[in-house]
Amino acid sequence: MTTLNQPLTQAIPSLILEEVSFRHRGQPLLAPVTLRLDGCHRTLVMGPNGAGKSLLMRLAHGLLAPSQGRLHWEGETPRQAMVFQRPVLLRRSALANLTHALAVKGTPRRLRKALAREALERFGLAALEARPARVLSGGEQQRLALARAWLLEPRVLFLDEPTSALDPAAIQAVEAAVDEFHRHGTRIVMSSHDLHQARRLADDVLFLCGGRLLEHTPAERFFTAPTSTEGRAFIRGDLVVSPPPP
Ligand SMILES: Nc1ncnc2c1ncn2[C@@H]1O[C@H](COP(=O)(O)OP(=O)(O)OP(=O)(O)O)[C@@H](O)[C@H]1O
């Protein structure tokens, strides 16, 4: 029996960052960040190009180690997955990309194809199962990456600008998939510089500019009364250019 269709009901551990900063070759790229992510929320990480959104997400997901500070989960580290702007897919069929992920996860061979097909169906890719993953369109590749993440049953899903190269129909499909994860009980942490998208999806917003976290507020408050000058300019739609990192 698969548990993939069962909502994930246990509480998600909180993620706590205490004075987490990141430097590269001595150059500060992210100024110390202190924050806490709780509950099954959809957190949108916003800010102009070069603000430090990807850095913060990679640190949170454990792909980068902080130069200073402490990052930890309150309780057991939850299962996590990350979806990138340009998904990294294997030179195999769409189906084989998913059965491979299940093999790595340790799913018994006899269950893999059925589970992979169920995920392809869920993300509207059933007709493409035999197609080489790398010839799929950008939107299809992104949905395949989401289907792969789905099979990992993450409690926390990080998405780094997953729709920035997609057209409106593909964006809609990715946003529907994100909703599906959230309804299932997965915490979403997603970066975007698209205000419209953030208004559609966000419960809370992390706003970064120039390698500094300037705001962490409920979405409604960020959109109506941002507290930082940069946040206000961003909401007005002014061109906000990230100053050089701290
Ligand atoms: N591994 C790294 N080594 C050196 N510099 C890095 C590294 N990762 C990011 N940077 C630099 O840190 C700054 C922040 O980059 P980051 O990718 O986090 O920005 P971003 O907010 O995600 O921007 P975008 O919206 O353009 O994706 C940039 O100046 C970038 O060049």
Side-chain angles (χ1 to χ4, degrees):
M1 275 294 285
T2 162
T3 58
L4 286 175
N5 290 322
Q6 307 300 318
L8 302 163
T9 49
Q10 279 178 343
I12 308 170
S14 300
L15 174 62
I16 296 163
L17 278 73
E18 293 167 345
E19 297 284 310
V20 166
S21 62
F22 186 77
R23 304 171 77 87
H24 179 73
R25 297 192 177 153
Q27 192 199 353
L29 294 177
L30 190 68
V33 169
T34 296
L35 73 88
R36 176 186 178 99
L37 295 180
D38 302 302
C40 185
H41 292 161
R42 290 163 300 178
T43 300
L44 265 281
V45 184
M46 305 210 69
N49 287 132
K53 303 183 294 294
S54 296
L55 276 178
L56 183 61
M57 305 250 307
R58 283 164 194 264
L59 285 161
H61 185 42
L63 292 177
L64 288 174
S67 305
Q68 275 183 322
R70 179 161 176 260
L71 182 149
H72 64 106
W73 296 91
E74 207 171 54
E76 205 175 314
T77 303
R79 276 191 309 275
Q80 305 164 47
M82 187 154 181
V83 170
F84 299 92
Q85 184 179 347
R86 281 184 289 275
V88 183
L89 298 168
L90 302 175
R91 207 179 290 275
R92 305 177 182 192
S93 70
L95 182 70
N97 265 269
L98 300 193
T99 51
H100 176 77
L102 287 167
V104 172
K105 186 186 174 200
T107 304
R109 180 184 289 273
R110 63 192 159 78
L111 300 177
R112 289 180 207 157
K113 270 199 179 147
L115 287 170
R117 289 202 165 110
E118 188 184 307
L120 288 171
E121 178 81 39
R122 184 179 288 271
F123 292 97
L125 295 168
L128 303 177
E129 72 164 56
R131 199 166 294 178
R134 292 192 181 175
V135 306
L136 295 175
S137 73
E140 290 161 353
Q141 289 199 12
Q142 204 53 287
R143 276 186 284 142
L144 184 59
L146 283 157
R148 184 173 58 187
W150 179 264
L151 291 171
L152 302 178
E153 300 181 274
R155 298 312 315 277
V156 183
L157 177 63
F158 295 96
L159 302 110
D160 192 3
E161 308 250 5
T163 57
S164 60
L166 304 183
D167 70 13
I171 291 175
Q172 203 174 32
V174 169
E175 290 184 5
V178 170
D179 266 347
E180 179 83 347
F181 274 97
H182 183 241
R183 272 201 309 275
H184 192 70
T186 300
R187 179 186 300 152
I188 304 295
V189 185
M190 171 168 160
S191 67
S192 173
H193 36 228
D194 180 346
L195 264 176
H196 299 292
Q197 179 167 65
R199 282 181 202 273
R200 288 192 293 272
L201 293 179
D203 296 313
D204 59 323
V205 172
L206 294 169
F207 179 71
L208 289 131
C209 195
R212 294 176 196 280
L213 178 63
L214 299 182
E215 309 202 28
H216 181 200
T217 49
E220 201 43 46
R221 196 176 327 148
F222 179 72
F223 296 128
T224 54
T227 54
S228 61
T229 310
E230 295 85 345
R232 282 193 291 275
F234 191 76
I235 293 291
R236 277 199 306 271
D238 293 353
L239 277 180
V240 179
V241 179
S242 236

